[in-house]
Amino acid sequence: MLVYLNGDFLPLEQARVPVLDRGFLFGDGVYEVIPAYGGRPFRLTEHLRRLNHSLGAVRMEAPLENDQWRQIIQRLLDQRMGEDQQIYLQVTRGAYDKRLHAIPEEVHPTVFVMATPLTPRDPALVEQGIAVVTVEDIRWQRCDIKAITLLANILAQQSARDAGAHEAILVRDGLATEGSASNFFLVKKSVILTPPKSNHLLPGITRDLVLELAEKADLPWREREIPVAELREADEVWVTSSTKEVMPVSRLDGQAVANGKPGPMWKKMDALYAEYKAQLQQRLKDSGHE
Ligand code: PDD
């Protein structure tokens, strides 16, 4: 399997970065995870827009133009022609001869991209729904940046695993923000609700698509703050991400969500999502590009 590292395509085993890389020393970098269906990247424009937002927010110049990213990504995907895959893309601030917090005057970033097979969602979990737990959100104030510095997310995810759950929903000042690696939605009285974009959550590409699909299908939706207590009284809870798509939540902190089964609104949204994917793939096949 070839990966991309700083201008070269080389076997994964030969891809090396220096130990003084600021990504390794400080977690000084940003990333993206982009799904690809049938060998075509999904919502790539949106992912590249978010990447450029993250880079700007940490004061890094974009190392590549969008067209260059596209070419690299397609070349990696073509190794498994037509298969569902996921792209992992990371830009760190690079390696220098001294470990200093301050940003070097001249930056030469480390750019790494790889494509790996996409692990399909577990059909049993999609059918039953997943268990989630709530944990305190101990992260910083710039959660809108997709930074590789993920310790707080890792600890939150592990709390979920320790409790036999699949995901943790983070709570800051009594408000639910997002999952450890996902956004969340709830349904109350047939209205789809999710917190508004802010510095306390990552603007999920899947989240935006869910709202877009709700709008197109005339399903009522609103963005507003969600006190954690409301989650416990929700008719439905979902979590979304590029790899989970729209996952129903059937248990929250050990209690059933409503009747403990994925709800009717989730079924509609999951079907709309699948339909959107299928239509997009057909269009890409017909036109040859995004
Ligand atoms: N994470 N919030 C956080 C904290 C995330 O890490 C992610 C995704 C999301 C959902 O974003 P999107 O819909 O664009 O995937 C929200 C990726 C999948 C990861 O870190 O592996």
Side-chain angles (χ1 to χ4, degrees):
M1 174 175 103
L2 297 184
V3 299
Y4 174 90
L5 182 64
N6 297 333
D8 295 321
F9 289 89
L10 69 177
L12 177 63
E13 308 72 48
Q14 286 171 28
R16 296 270 181 276
V17 285
V19 288
L20 290 185
D21 192 276
R22 292 176 63 100
F24 183 59
L25 295 178
F26 295 122
D28 185 0
V30 300
Y31 77 108
E32 278 296 323
V33 175
I34 309 160
Y37 302 111
R40 309 284 190 176
F42 188 64
R43 305 282 276 191
L44 182 54
T45 305
E46 289 79 2
H47 280 279
L48 291 177
R49 194 178 300 136
R50 186 173 64 187
L51 172 68
N52 288 322
H53 164 78
S54 297
L55 286 165
V58 301
R59 305 206 208 174
M60 278 178 76
E61 266 174 45
L64 295 168
E65 303 285 337
N66 284 0
D67 274 349
Q68 295 174 302
W69 287 121
R70 283 174 195 280
Q71 280 168 21
I72 292 164
I73 287 169
Q74 199 55 57
R75 179 155 169 203
L76 294 172
L77 289 171
D78 285 348
Q79 296 179 97
R80 292 186 190 83
M81 201 70 89
E83 282 181 32
D84 290 353
Q85 297 170 65
Q86 70 185 66
I87 298 288
Y88 180 78
L89 180 168
Q90 171 172 315
V91 183
T92 77
R93 217 180 299 267
Y96 306 87
D97 51 7
K98 284 203 184 94
R99 179 190 175 277
L100 292 172
H101 286 64
I103 296 173
E105 238 155 61
E106 221 175 278
V107 169
H108 29 91
T110 300
V111 180
F112 171 61
V113 193
M114 71 174 169
T116 53
L118 186 67
T119 315
R121 299 186 300 172
D122 180 343
L125 285 181
V126 177
E127 203 184 308
Q128 292 155 22
I130 59 167
V132 305
V133 292
T134 52
V135 305
E136 196 194 338
D137 193 346
I138 60 167
R139 298 173 304 162
W140 66 335
Q141 299 285 349
R142 288 307 305 271
C143 301
D144 56 308
I145 302 171
K146 202 161 171 60
I148 59 170
T149 331
L150 286 173
L151 257 184
N153 305 64
I154 290 167
L155 294 175
Q157 173 73 209
Q158 194 54 41
S159 300
R161 298 289 156 150
D162 292 346
H166 288 89
E167 177 58 311
I169 292 186
L170 310 174
V171 180
R172 193 191 288 258
D173 299 330
L175 301 175
T177 54
E178 62 175 334
S180 73
S182 59
N183 295 105
F184 81 90
F185 289 79
L186 63 82
V187 179
K188 191 71 196 170
K189 297 201 172 98
S190 300
V191 181
I192 300 168
L193 300 169
T194 198
K197 288 183 189 175
S198 75
N199 57 321
H200 290 153
L201 56 99
L202 186 78
I205 306 301
T206 321
R207 171 199 181 278
D208 284 356
L209 178 55
V210 163
L211 295 181
E212 205 178 293
L213 293 172
E215 180 68 27
K216 262 195 232 152
D218 261 336
L219 302 174
W221 63 272
R222 263 185 72 196
E223 290 176 301
R224 69 156 167 81
E225 303 292 2
I226 315 278
V228 65
E230 271 192 51
L231 272 179
R232 308 195 193 287
E233 275 148 29
D235 299 327
E236 300 183 23
V237 178
W238 319 331
V239 293
T240 64
S241 81
S242 293
T243 46
K244 294 182 190 74
E245 304 185 358
V246 189
M247 275 300 266
V249 173
S250 51
R251 295 188 77 74
L252 179 78
D253 290 333
Q255 304 287 316
V257 174
N259 67 359
K261 296 204 175 75
M265 194 68 100
W266 170 79
K267 275 205 186 87
K268 266 188 213 165
M269 185 49 71
D270 194 54
L272 288 172
Y273 198 91
E275 193 191 332
Y276 177 88
K277 264 167 63 176
Q279 281 174 356
L280 195 71
Q281 238 166 300
Q282 194 51 48
R283 270 214 307 279
L284 292 177
K285 229 182 248 164
D286 296 345
S287 72
H289 51 77
E290 198 190 28

